[in-house]
Amino acid sequence: MSKIIDGKEISSHIKSEVRSETEILKKEKNVTPGLAFIIAGEDPASRVYVKNKGKACDEAGFYSVTEAVPGDITESGLLDLIRRFNSDEKIHGILVQLPLPAHIDQKKIIEAIDYKKDVDGFHPVNAGKLSIGDKCFIPCTPFGITEMLRRKNIKTEGMRAVIIGRSNIVGKPVASLLLRPEFNCTVTVCHSRTPDLKSVTSEADILIAAIGRADFVKRDFIKEGSVIIDVGINRTEDKETKSGYKITGDVDYKDCFDKCGMITPVPGGVGPMTIAMLLRNTLDAAKGKIYD
Ligand code: NDP
């Protein structure tokens, strides 16, 4: 079996499953999954993310609409937009691209989204349901991570999983997921105040790095034969590329490669899985599979 967990390959399987199920849904129920994107401001990275997600929707046969609003939009203007999509029957999922401009209360915006259309899984109702083990929208990156483990047939039961990072979008939800009976991991979550981090991470059978610091995890952080999941997306200067930068993960891939058992590359690992799970969540929303 390959040592590299190829997120591109796994995500393309998921995308084709979504495409086929979408065709059936359209034929049998006359329902087209609909996703609304809201993006405020000109942040180039956010624009690229939304463009890529929109393209993935087109390829899946979804209906999608992007509302790109100026960065100086008022909070009430943004709330009005969300209310419009909340009551639009063609829209099954709403995604507000984060981060939002500083004058807008991100929490207020997320809470305004109908939790039944919260395909990002960030609404407190979905976050709460995730942590108590109820059916809910699972945030796309954690969902993508566990789906990779599942599809690679990694027997997670009883494994010690260590997560570096405690954000609401990655660290905490992936911890909740791995605690669920279908994974049954023993989970430890580390953060910037964890003393002697290496002593914790080097006991991990599964190490998930969601830190936001390029090449942070070196070979002395990891256990021999462990599964390494690199969530990080960091832009680092690279004069040899046309753009002048390259994307690297939070794990020093070359340094860890021969010591670990399996590893996700960056790019081509967790990133494409995140988009695939967004499609999955939107399709499930359209089917009424999560909430009727
Ligand atoms: P956040 O900045 O919200 O969280 C980073 C976490 O890392 C925090 O909990 C922080 O600890 C911890 N941390 C920072 N420095 C250290 C350190 N020296 N030792 C131990 N822990 C540390 O980031 P996100 O969770 O939003 O994202 C993490 C990375 O994943 C980023 O590179 C981001 O771009 C990427 N990402 C990738 C996605 C994908 O689709 N592939 C999706 C989402 C994110 P503390 O809480 O104490 O500050």
mmCIF file of all heavy atoms in Angstrom, residues 238-268:
data_model
loop_
_atom_site.group_PDB
_atom_site.id
_atom_site.type_symbol
_atom_site.label_atom_id
_atom_site.label_comp_id
_atom_site.label_asym_id
_atom_site.label_seq_id
_atom_site.Cartn_x
_atom_site.Cartn_y
_atom_site.Cartn_z
ATOM 1 N N ASP A 238 9.413 31.510 -2.379
ATOM 2 C CA ASP A 238 10.193 30.584 -3.194
ATOM 3 C C ASP A 238 10.507 31.281 -4.505
ATOM 4 O O ASP A 238 9.651 31.415 -5.391
ATOM 5 C CB ASP A 238 9.391 29.286 -3.434
ATOM 6 C CG ASP A 238 10.218 28.248 -4.186
ATOM 7 O OD1 ASP A 238 11.325 28.594 -4.656
ATOM 8 O OD2 ASP A 238 9.759 27.103 -4.303
ATOM 9 N N LYS A 239 11.740 31.715 -4.609
ATOM 10 C CA LYS A 239 12.122 32.514 -5.791
ATOM 11 C C LYS A 239 12.106 31.672 -7.057
ATOM 12 O O LYS A 239 12.082 32.205 -8.162
ATOM 13 C CB LYS A 239 13.502 33.124 -5.553
ATOM 14 C CG LYS A 239 13.486 34.155 -4.423
ATOM 15 C CD LYS A 239 14.648 35.131 -4.537
ATOM 16 C CE LYS A 239 14.522 36.242 -3.525
ATOM 17 N NZ LYS A 239 15.002 35.884 -2.185
ATOM 18 N N GLU A 240 12.131 30.361 -6.908
ATOM 19 C CA GLU A 240 12.172 29.507 -8.104
ATOM 20 C C GLU A 240 10.804 29.314 -8.755
ATOM 21 O O GLU A 240 10.723 28.796 -9.866
ATOM 22 C CB GLU A 240 12.790 28.147 -7.749
ATOM 23 C CG GLU A 240 14.303 28.271 -7.649
ATOM 24 C CD GLU A 240 14.958 27.043 -7.077
ATOM 25 O OE1 GLU A 240 14.372 25.951 -7.164
ATOM 26 O OE2 GLU A 240 16.059 27.209 -6.526
ATOM 27 N N THR A 241 9.751 29.690 -8.077
ATOM 28 C CA THR A 241 8.428 29.536 -8.697
ATOM 29 C C THR A 241 8.025 30.859 -9.356
ATOM 30 O O THR A 241 8.536 31.934 -8.981
ATOM 31 C CB THR A 241 7.344 29.153 -7.662
ATOM 32 O OG1 THR A 241 7.232 30.225 -6.716
ATOM 33 C CG2 THR A 241 7.691 27.880 -6.924
ATOM 34 N N LYS A 242 7.105 30.741 -10.319
ATOM 35 C CA LYS A 242 6.659 31.913 -11.073
ATOM 36 C C LYS A 242 5.986 32.933 -10.154
ATOM 37 O O LYS A 242 6.206 34.131 -10.246
ATOM 38 C CB LYS A 242 5.658 31.444 -12.144
ATOM 39 C CG LYS A 242 5.762 32.192 -13.446
ATOM 40 C CD LYS A 242 4.936 31.486 -14.496
ATOM 41 C CE LYS A 242 4.045 32.477 -15.224
ATOM 42 N NZ LYS A 242 2.984 31.834 -15.985
ATOM 43 N N SER A 243 5.174 32.403 -9.212
ATOM 44 C CA SER A 243 4.443 33.290 -8.311
ATOM 45 C C SER A 243 5.329 33.893 -7.225
ATOM 46 O O SER A 243 4.958 34.868 -6.588
ATOM 47 C CB SER A 243 3.310 32.493 -7.652
ATOM 48 O OG SER A 243 3.870 31.384 -6.963
ATOM 49 N N GLY A 244 6.506 33.303 -7.005
ATOM 50 C CA GLY A 244 7.393 33.809 -5.964
ATOM 51 C C GLY A 244 7.123 33.179 -4.602
ATOM 52 O O GLY A 244 7.730 33.537 -3.600
ATOM 53 N N TYR A 245 6.149 32.255 -4.556
ATOM 54 C CA TYR A 245 5.905 31.557 -3.299
ATOM 55 C C TYR A 245 5.513 30.113 -3.568
ATOM 56 O O TYR A 245 5.199 29.734 -4.698
ATOM 57 C CB TYR A 245 4.800 32.261 -2.490
ATOM 58 C CG TYR A 245 3.432 32.184 -3.101
ATOM 59 C CD1 TYR A 245 2.609 31.084 -2.875
ATOM 60 C CD2 TYR A 245 2.947 33.198 -3.927
ATOM 61 C CE1 TYR A 245 1.348 30.992 -3.444
ATOM 62 C CE2 TYR A 245 1.684 33.110 -4.510
ATOM 63 C CZ TYR A 245 0.896 32.006 -4.263
ATOM 64 O OH TYR A 245 -0.355 31.913 -4.836
ATOM 65 N N LYS A 246 5.557 29.311 -2.513
ATOM 66 C CA LYS A 246 5.024 27.959 -2.637
ATOM 67 C C LYS A 246 4.160 27.659 -1.406
ATOM 68 O O LYS A 246 4.273 28.340 -0.389
ATOM 69 C CB LYS A 246 6.158 26.933 -2.782
ATOM 70 C CG LYS A 246 7.057 26.843 -1.588
ATOM 71 C CD LYS A 246 8.062 25.722 -1.736
ATOM 72 C CE LYS A 246 8.943 25.716 -0.505
ATOM 73 N NZ LYS A 246 9.966 24.732 -0.462
ATOM 74 N N ILE A 247 3.318 26.632 -1.556
ATOM 75 C CA ILE A 247 2.443 26.258 -0.440
ATOM 76 C C ILE A 247 3.094 25.087 0.294
ATOM 77 O O ILE A 247 3.463 24.082 -0.327
ATOM 78 C CB ILE A 247 1.050 25.828 -0.969
ATOM 79 C CG1 ILE A 247 0.359 26.974 -1.723
ATOM 80 C CG2 ILE A 247 0.168 25.304 0.167
ATOM 81 C CD1 ILE A 247 -0.058 28.155 -0.876
ATOM 82 N N THR A 248 3.248 25.244 1.591
ATOM 83 C CA THR A 248 3.776 24.129 2.381
ATOM 84 C C THR A 248 2.851 23.852 3.563
ATOM 85 O O THR A 248 2.069 24.712 3.969
ATOM 86 C CB THR A 248 5.178 24.434 2.965
ATOM 87 O OG1 THR A 248 5.139 25.722 3.534
ATOM 88 C CG2 THR A 248 6.266 24.369 1.936
ATOM 89 N N GLY A 249 2.991 22.653 4.093
ATOM 90 C CA GLY A 249 2.156 22.263 5.219
ATOM 91 C C GLY A 249 2.791 22.639 6.548
ATOM 92 O O GLY A 249 3.803 23.352 6.609
ATOM 93 N N ASP A 250 2.194 22.117 7.618
ATOM 94 C CA ASP A 250 2.731 22.320 8.968
ATOM 95 C C ASP A 250 3.749 21.241 9.322
ATOM 96 O O ASP A 250 4.384 21.300 10.371
ATOM 97 C CB ASP A 250 1.587 22.267 9.996
ATOM 98 C CG ASP A 250 0.683 23.485 9.921
ATOM 99 O OD1 ASP A 250 1.096 24.500 9.323
ATOM 100 O OD2 ASP A 250 -0.439 23.426 10.465
ATOM 101 N N VAL A 251 3.852 20.239 8.438
ATOM 102 C CA VAL A 251 4.768 19.127 8.697
ATOM 103 C C VAL A 251 5.934 19.209 7.707
ATOM 104 O O VAL A 251 5.720 19.449 6.518
ATOM 105 C CB VAL A 251 4.029 17.769 8.510
ATOM 106 C CG1 VAL A 251 4.983 16.596 8.707
ATOM 107 C CG2 VAL A 251 2.839 17.670 9.480
ATOM 108 N N ASP A 252 7.120 19.006 8.195
ATOM 109 C CA ASP A 252 8.285 18.931 7.306
ATOM 110 C C ASP A 252 8.255 17.545 6.642
ATOM 111 O O ASP A 252 8.721 16.553 7.200
ATOM 112 C CB ASP A 252 9.568 19.147 8.121
ATOM 113 C CG ASP A 252 10.796 19.276 7.228
ATOM 114 O OD1 ASP A 252 10.773 18.713 6.110
ATOM 115 O OD2 ASP A 252 11.755 19.928 7.654
ATOM 116 N N TYR A 253 7.650 17.518 5.472
ATOM 117 C CA TYR A 253 7.328 16.267 4.767
ATOM 118 C C TYR A 253 8.569 15.415 4.520
ATOM 119 O O TYR A 253 8.592 14.222 4.840
ATOM 120 C CB TYR A 253 6.645 16.658 3.452
ATOM 121 C CG TYR A 253 6.103 15.533 2.612
ATOM 122 C CD1 TYR A 253 4.834 15.017 2.842
ATOM 123 C CD2 TYR A 253 6.837 15.014 1.543
ATOM 124 C CE1 TYR A 253 4.311 14.005 2.043
ATOM 125 C CE2 TYR A 253 6.322 14.005 0.742
ATOM 126 C CZ TYR A 253 5.065 13.505 0.998
ATOM 127 O OH TYR A 253 4.553 12.507 0.207
ATOM 128 N N LYS A 254 9.592 16.063 3.985
ATOM 129 C CA LYS A 254 10.821 15.315 3.641
ATOM 130 C C LYS A 254 11.465 14.728 4.884
ATOM 131 O O LYS A 254 11.914 13.596 4.896
ATOM 132 C CB LYS A 254 11.831 16.253 2.961
ATOM 133 C CG LYS A 254 11.579 16.425 1.488
ATOM 134 C CD LYS A 254 12.794 17.089 0.848
ATOM 135 C CE LYS A 254 12.451 17.497 -0.565
ATOM 136 N NZ LYS A 254 13.077 18.755 -0.946
ATOM 137 N N ASP A 255 11.485 15.521 5.938
ATOM 138 C CA ASP A 255 12.138 15.103 7.171
ATOM 139 C C ASP A 255 11.398 13.909 7.820
ATOM 140 O O ASP A 255 12.014 13.018 8.400
ATOM 141 C CB ASP A 255 12.140 16.307 8.136
ATOM 142 C CG ASP A 255 13.163 16.175 9.245
ATOM 143 O OD1 ASP A 255 14.256 15.640 8.962
ATOM 144 O OD2 ASP A 255 12.871 16.587 10.383
ATOM 145 N N CYS A 256 10.065 13.909 7.683
ATOM 146 C CA CYS A 256 9.255 12.889 8.367
ATOM 147 C C CYS A 256 8.992 11.655 7.507
ATOM 148 O O CYS A 256 8.600 10.614 8.040
ATOM 149 C CB CYS A 256 7.906 13.497 8.791
ATOM 150 S SG CYS A 256 8.078 14.786 10.029
ATOM 151 N N PHE A 257 9.166 11.781 6.195
ATOM 152 C CA PHE A 257 8.655 10.764 5.274
ATOM 153 C C PHE A 257 9.095 9.337 5.614
ATOM 154 O O PHE A 257 8.273 8.427 5.728
ATOM 155 C CB PHE A 257 9.029 11.108 3.823
ATOM 156 C CG PHE A 257 8.315 10.240 2.829
ATOM 157 C CD1 PHE A 257 7.020 10.523 2.441
ATOM 158 C CD2 PHE A 257 8.925 9.110 2.302
ATOM 159 C CE1 PHE A 257 6.335 9.711 1.548
ATOM 160 C CE2 PHE A 257 8.250 8.285 1.414
ATOM 161 C CZ PHE A 257 6.957 8.591 1.035
ATOM 162 N N ASP A 258 10.393 9.112 5.789
ATOM 163 C CA ASP A 258 10.806 7.709 5.969
ATOM 164 C C ASP A 258 10.537 7.175 7.386
ATOM 165 O O ASP A 258 10.555 5.977 7.608
ATOM 166 C CB ASP A 258 12.274 7.479 5.538
ATOM 167 C CG ASP A 258 13.237 8.310 6.340
ATOM 168 O OD1 ASP A 258 12.770 9.167 7.126
ATOM 169 O OD2 ASP A 258 14.465 8.119 6.192
ATOM 170 N N LYS A 259 10.229 8.059 8.317
ATOM 171 C CA LYS A 259 9.946 7.595 9.685
ATOM 172 C C LYS A 259 8.457 7.247 9.895
ATOM 173 O O LYS A 259 8.125 6.329 10.667
ATOM 174 C CB LYS A 259 10.368 8.664 10.699
ATOM 175 C CG LYS A 259 10.312 8.174 12.138
ATOM 176 C CD LYS A 259 10.871 9.204 13.100
ATOM 177 C CE LYS A 259 10.828 8.682 14.530
ATOM 178 N NZ LYS A 259 11.201 9.710 15.504
ATOM 179 N N CYS A 260 7.578 7.954 9.189
ATOM 180 C CA CYS A 260 6.138 7.723 9.424
ATOM 181 C C CYS A 260 5.655 6.495 8.650
ATOM 182 O O CYS A 260 6.363 5.981 7.785
ATOM 183 C CB CYS A 260 5.335 8.957 9.010
ATOM 184 S SG CYS A 260 5.319 9.237 7.248
ATOM 185 N N GLY A 261 4.420 6.078 8.977
ATOM 186 C CA GLY A 261 3.829 4.953 8.244
ATOM 187 C C GLY A 261 3.082 5.436 7.017
ATOM 188 O O GLY A 261 3.144 4.846 5.947
ATOM 189 N N MET A 262 2.347 6.548 7.197
ATOM 190 C CA MET A 262 1.578 7.160 6.113
ATOM 191 C C MET A 262 1.556 8.662 6.329
ATOM 192 O O MET A 262 1.648 9.129 7.469
ATOM 193 C CB MET A 262 0.135 6.640 6.102
ATOM 194 C CG MET A 262 0.013 5.204 5.711
ATOM 195 S SD MET A 262 -1.712 4.700 5.810
ATOM 196 C CE MET A 262 -2.017 4.366 4.129
ATOM 197 N N ILE A 263 1.391 9.397 5.227
ATOM 198 C CA ILE A 263 1.420 10.860 5.358
ATOM 199 C C ILE A 263 0.604 11.514 4.244
ATOM 200 O O ILE A 263 0.522 10.967 3.134
ATOM 201 C CB ILE A 263 2.900 11.365 5.355
ATOM 202 C CG1 ILE A 263 2.995 12.855 5.687
ATOM 203 C CG2 ILE A 263 3.610 11.042 4.029
ATOM 204 C CD1 ILE A 263 4.398 13.318 6.087
ATOM 205 N N THR A 264 0.000 12.650 4.564
ATOM 206 C CA THR A 264 -0.711 13.414 3.529
ATOM 207 C C THR A 264 0.230 14.495 2.993
ATOM 208 O O THR A 264 0.891 15.180 3.774
ATOM 209 C CB THR A 264 -1.977 14.111 4.087
ATOM 210 O OG1 THR A 264 -1.596 15.026 5.123
ATOM 211 C CG2 THR A 264 -2.964 13.097 4.646
ATOM 212 N N PRO A 265 0.290 14.661 1.676
ATOM 213 C CA PRO A 265 1.131 15.734 1.135
ATOM 214 C C PRO A 265 0.414 17.087 1.192
ATOM 215 O O PRO A 265 -0.792 17.147 1.352
ATOM 216 C CB PRO A 265 1.323 15.305 -0.327
ATOM 217 C CG PRO A 265 0.108 14.505 -0.658
ATOM 218 C CD PRO A 265 -0.376 13.877 0.624
ATOM 219 N N VAL A 266 1.176 18.155 1.049
ATOM 220 C CA VAL A 266 0.598 19.501 0.870
ATOM 221 C C VAL A 266 1.357 20.134 -0.292
ATOM 222 O O VAL A 266 2.585 20.222 -0.232
ATOM 223 C CB VAL A 266 0.774 20.373 2.135
ATOM 224 C CG1 VAL A 266 0.261 21.791 1.866
ATOM 225 C CG2 VAL A 266 0.047 19.775 3.329
ATOM 226 N N PRO A 267 0.692 20.539 -1.351
ATOM 227 C CA PRO A 267 -0.745 20.385 -1.583
ATOM 228 C C PRO A 267 -1.107 18.948 -1.989
ATOM 229 O O PRO A 267 -0.218 18.122 -2.179
ATOM 230 C CB PRO A 267 -0.997 21.363 -2.743
ATOM 231 C CG PRO A 267 0.316 21.591 -3.414
ATOM 232 C CD PRO A 267 1.399 21.260 -2.424
ATOM 233 N N GLY A 268 -2.400 18.702 -2.093
ATOM 234 C CA GLY A 268 -2.859 17.393 -2.584
ATOM 235 C C GLY A 268 -3.256 16.425 -1.484
ATOM 236 O O GLY A 268 -3.413 15.238 -1.734
#
